[in-house]
Amino acid sequence: MQTFQANKGNFWIYIVCSFLFLVFVLVMNYVEFENYWVIVPAILPLMLFVWTYFSTKYTVKDHYFHYQSAFLKGKIDINKITKLQPNKTLWSGVKPALATKGIIIKFGYDEVYVAPQNNQDLMNALLQINPNILVE
């Protein structure tokens, strides 16, 4: 089993810092000691971003490619993968990724966008199992 960590672009750090700043402003200016429930709507999106940030990973195990990013989970039979498009970005569709310039994985009529820390390492792991994959 090989595990590949996600490329965590700087954009995610900016989002989390912005939410932390928002919570700080709410606490310091608008919340009295008995009204902390006002913070909950600001903390929930922050928790979702933190969950996504720390849970995104990719795994190659037993002829399957597994991806996970918060509530997005799935597995792809590596023998059904037809094409890899490295250093591209998919702007719509299934994107268990945190950065741009990742890999678009095409299998059948479906496609998934992933962004590992090193595109070449993931592509090599997939090509070792299925050397018939076309790389564009």
Side-chain angles (χ1 to χ4, degrees), residues 11-131:
F11 179 70
W12 283 88
I13 294 170
Y14 298 139
I15 288 175
V16 170
C17 289
S18 298
F19 272 107
L20 285 174
F21 179 73
L22 175 66
V23 170
F24 178 75
V25 168
L26 284 173
V27 169
M28 296 307 290
N29 293 325
Y30 300 108
V31 178
E32 296 178 12
F33 288 106
E34 62 271 355
N35 293 331
Y36 279 111
W37 59 270
V38 176
I39 301 172
V40 173
I43 290 178
L44 289 177
L46 175 65
M47 290 172 49
L48 178 64
F49 284 121
V50 169
W51 179 31
T52 303
Y53 186 83
F54 287 110
S55 71
T56 303
K57 64 181 176 182
Y58 316 108
T59 308
V60 174
K61 179 181 177 186
D62 299 332
H63 296 280
Y64 283 97
F65 172 70
H66 300 264
Y67 58 87
Q68 177 181 353
S69 180
F71 53 85
L72 286 177
K73 296 179 184 179
K75 71 178 182 177
I76 302 168
D77 184 353
I78 295 174
N79 292 317
K80 293 185 180 180
I81 295 175
T82 56
K83 190 186 299 184
L84 299 174
Q85 294 178 312
N87 301 319
K88 296 205 174 184
T89 303
L90 184 68
W91 296 104
S92 64
V94 180
K95 291 181 53 174
L98 302 176
T100 58
K101 296 189 179 176
I103 304 170
I104 299 174
I105 301 174
K106 296 191 178 223
F107 56 103
Y109 293 105
D110 294 323
E111 58 189 8
V112 172
Y113 174 75
V114 297
Q117 285 181 345
N118 189 327
N119 289 346
Q120 193 62 46
D121 289 345
L122 177 59
M123 290 191 322
N124 289 340
L126 296 174
L127 289 169
Q128 282 180 348
I129 296 171
N130 182 3

